[in-house]
């Protein structure tokens, strides 16, 4: 009883029955009234013989005297020749001057017919002379003759049959439409249960143009959610595998070195202790990066967003790396317009992103190379585009779509000790997106790389 298809069917049936019963009742009532009104029309009076019977009475009596007694007399036996006018609807009888001389309701006696009454009345003529007028009122159902009652009865039976057929047809259509509405929702429920059981490949089928728009929207929304959950689950599994892989290497180094020291293979010297300390620092850095990435992706990383002087920030980052660039014989410069509006960002997180990009550029830029920090407020309305360009070896085209993924390295030969934890670009992407910007890379082998990101203007 609580199923949607059952409730929809019952609702359809109830609406159909009420509608058909109401329509049939109103139709029967309206047709009965209109039929009785039809019987009062002057053009059908001759068929009833009423005006002729009154004319015969006047001709025999030569007046309207005692016409009321004659009209009120019960109908004669069938073998007597009297017209069926005596089983008549309510009527008014007026003389030749239009004065009402008979009314079976005993009202308006002695009054004169109005112009409307005379227009609707049937004249009574004797030898070509108008001797009176008869005006019928709407008859009661009990006053109708046998043929008229038979007609109405047959009409009512026809209406009842039509109502029954319409009801059955409506019920069948109601069952069809209720199933058509409920079946996609049942499919959605089955898919949801399968998806909850970690059957990630299940999707709700959408029937294209024949589908109900609202149901199709729900199905598409569920499929989008399923795609996102499957993608998130895949990322989670890959991340757990990557984390286990990244932690295994320094832990293996620490474990093997400690085992060698315990076995006396390595002497307990400061050099060996320093090696173990470096591995613990790598582990700590990896854990800190993972924690920061998790907070950033869950939007729980605290940000102090405010207007930031872009030029001053770029100059500060370049100053921090000036000695390292000189040591590598790399030219590090800043190209910023004379007037640059402030951006809406967290200055520390923005500096962290720039420092990560400059660090990567220094790793991949050879001696006599060049690294350029730029900012441009004209390339994108309402935002400033920052970029870090280098003249290094570049990134292979096949690797470009993956450079912002966790633990991804275009140079597979690099270790975590020489190349970082592999989370810097992922963290940079998450920070920029959290601050309302976008980030990307342009590169080609042997042509250097250009990492860029945009941030909204402070007054944007």
């Amino acid at each position: 009883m609580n199923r949607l298809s059952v409730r929809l069917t019952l609702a359809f049936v109830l609406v159909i029955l009420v509608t058909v019963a109401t329509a049939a009742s109103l139709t029967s009532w309206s047709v009965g009234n209109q039929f009785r009104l039809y019987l009062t029309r002057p053009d059908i009076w001759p068929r009833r013989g009423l005006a002729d019977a009154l004319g015969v009475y006047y001709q025999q009596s030569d007046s309207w005297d005692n016409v009321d007694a004659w009209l009120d007399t019960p109908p004669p036996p069938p073998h007597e020749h009297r017209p069926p006018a005596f089983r008549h609807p309510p009527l008014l009888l007026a003389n030749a001057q239009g004065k009402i001389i008979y009314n079976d309701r005993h009202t308006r006696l002695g009054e004169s017919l109005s112009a409307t009454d005379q227009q609707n009345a049937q004249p009574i003529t004797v030898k070509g002379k108008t001797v009176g007028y008869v005006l019928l009122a709407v008859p009661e159902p009990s006053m109708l003759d046998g043929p008229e009652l038979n007609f109405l009865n047959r009409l009512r039976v026809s209406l009842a049959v039509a109502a029954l057929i319409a009801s059955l047809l409506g019920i069948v259509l109601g069952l069809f439409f209720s199933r058509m509405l409920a079946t996609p929702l049942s499919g959605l429920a089955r898919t949801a249960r399968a998806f909850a059981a970690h059957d990630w490949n299940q999707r709700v089928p959408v029937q294209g143009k024949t589908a109900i728009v609202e149901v199709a929207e729900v199905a598409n929304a569920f499929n989008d959610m399923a795609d996102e959950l499957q993608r998130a689950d895949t990322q989670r599994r890959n991340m757990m595998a990557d984390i286990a892989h990244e932690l295994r290497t320094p832990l293996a180094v620490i474990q093997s070195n400690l085992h060698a020291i315990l076995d006396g293979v390595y002497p307990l010297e400061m050099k060996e202790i320093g090696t173990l300390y470096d591995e613990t620092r790598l582990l700590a850095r990896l854990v800190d990066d993972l924690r920061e990435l998790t907070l950033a992706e869950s939007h729980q990383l605290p940000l102090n967003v405010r207007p930031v002087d872009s030029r001053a920030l770029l100059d500060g980052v370049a100053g921090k790396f000036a000695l390292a660039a000189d040591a590598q014989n790399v030219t590090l410069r800043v190209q910023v317009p004379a007037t640059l509006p402030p951006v809406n960002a967290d200055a520390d997180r923005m500096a962290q992103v720039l420092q990560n990009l400059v660090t990567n550029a220094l790793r991949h830029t050879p001696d006599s190379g060049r690294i350029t920090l730029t900012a441009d407020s004209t390339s994108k309305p309402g935002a400033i585009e920052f970029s870090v360009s280098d003249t290094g070896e570049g990134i292979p085209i096949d690797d470009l779509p993956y450079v912002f993924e966790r633990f991804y390295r275009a140079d597979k030969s690099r270790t975590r000790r020489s190349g970082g934890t592999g989370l810097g670009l992922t963290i940079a992407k998450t920070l920029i997106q959290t601050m309302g910007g976008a980030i990307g890379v342009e590169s080609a082998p042997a042509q250097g790389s250009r990492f860029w990101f945009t941030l909204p203007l402070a007054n944007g």
Side-chain angles (χ1 to χ4, degrees):
M1 191 67 179
N2 290 328
R3 297 186 66 85
L4 177 62
S5 59
V6 176
R7 293 196 173 190
L8 284 175
T9 301
L10 292 177
F12 277 124
V13 170
L14 180 60
V15 171
I16 290 167
L17 291 179
V18 171
T19 302
V20 170
T22 303
S25 300
L26 291 176
T27 302
S28 177
W29 174 82
S30 177
V31 169
N33 285 343
Q34 292 299 322
F35 182 69
R36 286 184 283 120
L37 286 174
Y38 169 79
L39 295 179
T40 66
R41 290 171 51 180
D43 56 345
I44 71 164
W45 289 353
R47 302 176 191 174
R48 298 178 58 88
L50 179 58
D52 293 340
L54 289 171
V56 170
Y57 175 85
Y58 186 89
Q59 187 175 9
Q60 292 175 351
S61 302
D62 198 28
S63 69
W64 292 116
D65 294 340
N66 299 320
V67 70
D68 50 350
W70 185 75
L71 286 172
D72 292 335
T73 301
H79 63 275
E80 294 188 18
H81 179 70
R82 291 183 67 181
F86 293 92
R87 192 181 180 188
H88 57 73
L91 60 83
L92 291 176
L93 179 62
N95 57 23
Q97 290 75 34
K99 183 179 179 180
I100 298 175
I101 58 176
Y102 174 81
N103 182 359
D104 54 0
R105 297 182 180 180
H106 306 292
T107 59
R108 299 183 61 184
L109 291 175
E111 296 181 9
S112 297
L113 294 176
S114 64
T116 303
D117 290 339
Q118 288 191 359
Q119 183 178 0
N120 295 326
Q122 172 72 18
I124 303 170
T125 58
V126 176
K127 298 180 180 180
K129 178 182 178 182
T130 300
V131 297
Y133 299 92
V134 62
L135 178 67
L136 293 180
V138 179
E140 298 295 332
S142 59
M143 299 177 179
L144 298 179
D145 292 331
E148 296 155 350
L149 286 175
N150 290 335
F151 170 77
L152 288 180
N153 290 334
R154 287 195 300 271
L155 179 63
R156 292 189 181 100
V157 171
S158 299
L159 287 175
V161 172
L164 180 60
I165 295 175
S167 299
L168 293 176
L169 181 60
I171 291 172
V172 172
L173 291 176
L175 287 170
F176 172 75
F177 284 115
S178 63
R179 289 183 62 84
M180 187 177 66
L181 289 171
T183 299
L185 297 180
S186 299
L188 177 61
R190 287 193 301 271
T191 305
R193 285 192 293 268
F195 204 80
H198 299 280
D199 186 359
W200 304 115
N201 295 321
Q202 291 292 328
R203 294 295 184 272
V204 181
V206 182
Q207 300 176 353
K209 295 182 178 180
T210 62
I212 301 172
V213 175
E214 290 76 7
V215 176
E217 288 178 351
V218 173
N220 288 327
F222 180 88
N223 291 339
D224 292 342
M225 179 195 69
D227 292 339
E228 189 61 31
L229 288 176
Q230 185 175 16
R231 186 161 43 251
D233 182 74
T234 302
Q235 290 178 350
R236 179 185 64 81
R237 293 174 184 272
N238 293 338
M239 182 178 179
M240 296 300 297
D242 291 339
I243 291 174
H245 174 75
E246 298 300 326
L247 293 176
R248 186 182 296 115
T249 301
L251 285 174
V253 172
I254 293 174
Q255 186 178 18
S256 61
N257 286 4
L258 287 175
H259 191 272
I261 291 173
L262 291 174
D263 289 345
V265 177
Y266 292 161
L268 185 60
E269 297 178 350
M270 296 302 295
K271 178 181 178 181
E272 298 301 328
I273 296 176
T275 300
L276 296 176
Y277 177 69
D278 289 341
E279 295 298 330
T280 60
R281 288 180 60 193
L282 176 60
L283 280 174
R285 191 166 75 249
L286 180 60
V287 171
D288 288 341
D289 286 350
L290 285 172
R291 177 180 179 276
E292 187 173 36
L293 178 60
T294 302
L295 292 175
E297 289 183 336
S298 61
H299 302 288
Q300 296 180 358
L301 189 67
L303 294 176
N304 183 21
V305 178
R306 65 182 189 279
V308 176
D309 187 342
S310 306
R311 184 184 185 91
L313 193 142
L314 289 174
D315 289 338
V317 171
K320 290 181 180 180
F321 288 90
L323 292 178
D326 290 341
Q328 293 184 210
N329 193 25
V330 173
T331 302
L332 179 62
R333 60 183 181 180
V334 177
Q335 291 182 347
V336 180
T339 58
L340 192 65
V343 293
N344 209 37
D346 184 314
D348 295 334
R349 298 300 179 183
M350 182 178 172
Q352 177 183 348
V353 172
L354 286 169
Q355 290 170 15
N356 181 277
L357 297 179
V358 174
T359 299
N360 289 341
L362 284 172
R363 289 197 187 106
H364 297 277
T365 302
D367 290 346
S368 302
R370 184 173 65 256
I371 298 175
T372 306
L373 280 68
T374 63
D376 183 12
S377 60
T378 61
S379 59
K380 184 177 180 181
I384 293 181
E385 181 181 280
F386 301 88
S387 66
V388 177
S389 305
D390 63 61
T391 57
E393 69 269 20
I395 303 173
I397 296 177
D398 293 340
D399 293 323
L400 281 178
Y402 310 105
V403 295
F404 291 102
E405 292 187 2
R406 299 181 183 93
F407 304 114
Y408 187 82
R409 288 174 175 274
D411 186 356
K412 305 299 188 297
S413 64
R414 283 188 172 271
T415 64
R416 297 299 172 208
R417 190 177 295 104
S418 62
T421 62
L423 294 173
L425 289 177
T426 307
I427 294 174
K429 179 180 179 180
T430 305
L431 290 175
I432 293 299
Q433 290 178 343
T434 303
M435 290 187 289
I439 190 170
V441 60
E442 301 168 0
S443 182
Q447 296 184 15
S449 301
R450 176 179 177 270
F451 284 84
W452 59 267
F453 64 88
T454 60
L455 288 173
L457 295 174
N459 57 354

